Amino acid sequence: MLALCVVATPLTAARRARRLCDAQDGILFGPAVSTLDRLVPGILAAAGERRPVLTPLAERLLAVRAGRAAGGPFADLAADGGLAGSLADTLAELRRGEVDPEVARAAAARLAGGPATRLAALAEALDAHEEALRDLSVLDRAGAMRAAAAAARRGALPEELRELDLLLVDGLVSASPAEWDL
């Protein structure tokens, strides 16, 4: 019987794998415990996806580039500053939640004052970020999840995932729409 347990974090995966190994008298063959981030590259490869997936550092640098392109409060953004990290995290969360730049612009239009200005600038940065992803022909984490979900729906799975008898998903309580689809 081939089983796979998908958990939320690499630390949880390591702990669960150790417990399984102990339960099987010290023998554990294959990736019995994994995370979605570890499964996605194999699914993308099986689907023939040629776009690379950005590393976290590359995502941060791309967010800085997008922020500078958007201008406003992000015009003089330094790659090593706290604002750069916050912008990268915010853009990643908006992409994860599948928020469109137009939706963010519409939300900003309903606000007034400083919040409206900041949200409008963020919408511009999100638009510049998505344009940069297209121009560079790369995937960020959210794009990789969406592409993997589409590939899995088409049946493009690596051999080890095609032969599963049991799939257990544990601890994924705040999954994005793409993660749920996958």
Side-chain angles (χ1 to χ4, degrees):
M1 181 163 129
L2 189 58
L4 176 66
C5 178
V6 178
V7 295
T9 67
L11 179 61
T12 304
R15 287 179 176 164
R16 298 284 164 77
R18 183 175 176 171
R19 285 186 193 148
L20 281 174
C21 186
D22 290 345
Q24 295 178 4
D25 296 325
I27 300 173
L28 184 63
F29 293 108
V33 182
S34 190
T35 63
L36 287 175
D37 288 329
R38 287 185 193 160
L39 295 173
V40 164
I43 295 170
L44 293 175
E49 176 63 63
R50 301 182 71 61
R51 292 176 292 175
V53 179
L54 296 176
T55 64
L57 176 59
E59 281 196 42
R60 181 177 178 139
L61 293 174
L62 190 62
V64 169
R65 175 180 164 178
R68 288 178 182 160
F74 307 121
D76 297 322
L77 197 59
D80 61 348
L83 182 57
S86 296
L87 178 61
D89 291 344
T90 303
L91 290 176
E93 190 63 28
L94 288 171
R95 295 263 310 139
R96 184 175 181 262
E98 301 181 2
V99 175
D100 186 78
E102 292 304 318
V103 171
R105 283 188 192 97
R110 289 190 297 269
L111 298 173
T117 304
R118 288 188 294 276
L119 187 54
L122 189 57
E124 292 306 315
L126 179 60
D127 196 21
H129 182 77
E130 289 181 354
E131 183 178 328
L133 288 170
R134 283 188 300 276
D135 290 346
L136 295 171
S137 191
V138 295
L139 295 169
D140 61 351
R141 183 182 184 278
M145 284 290 170
R146 178 54 54 209
R153 195 175 306 110
R154 291 189 313 269
L157 294 172
E159 200 62 38
E160 63 270 11
L161 293 180
R162 281 191 212 149
E163 300 174 6
L164 284 180
D165 296 314
L166 175 66
L167 176 64
L168 172 68
V169 179
D170 184 28
L172 294 176
V173 293
S174 63
S176 70
E179 290 169 340
W180 279 119
D181 288 349
L182 182 58

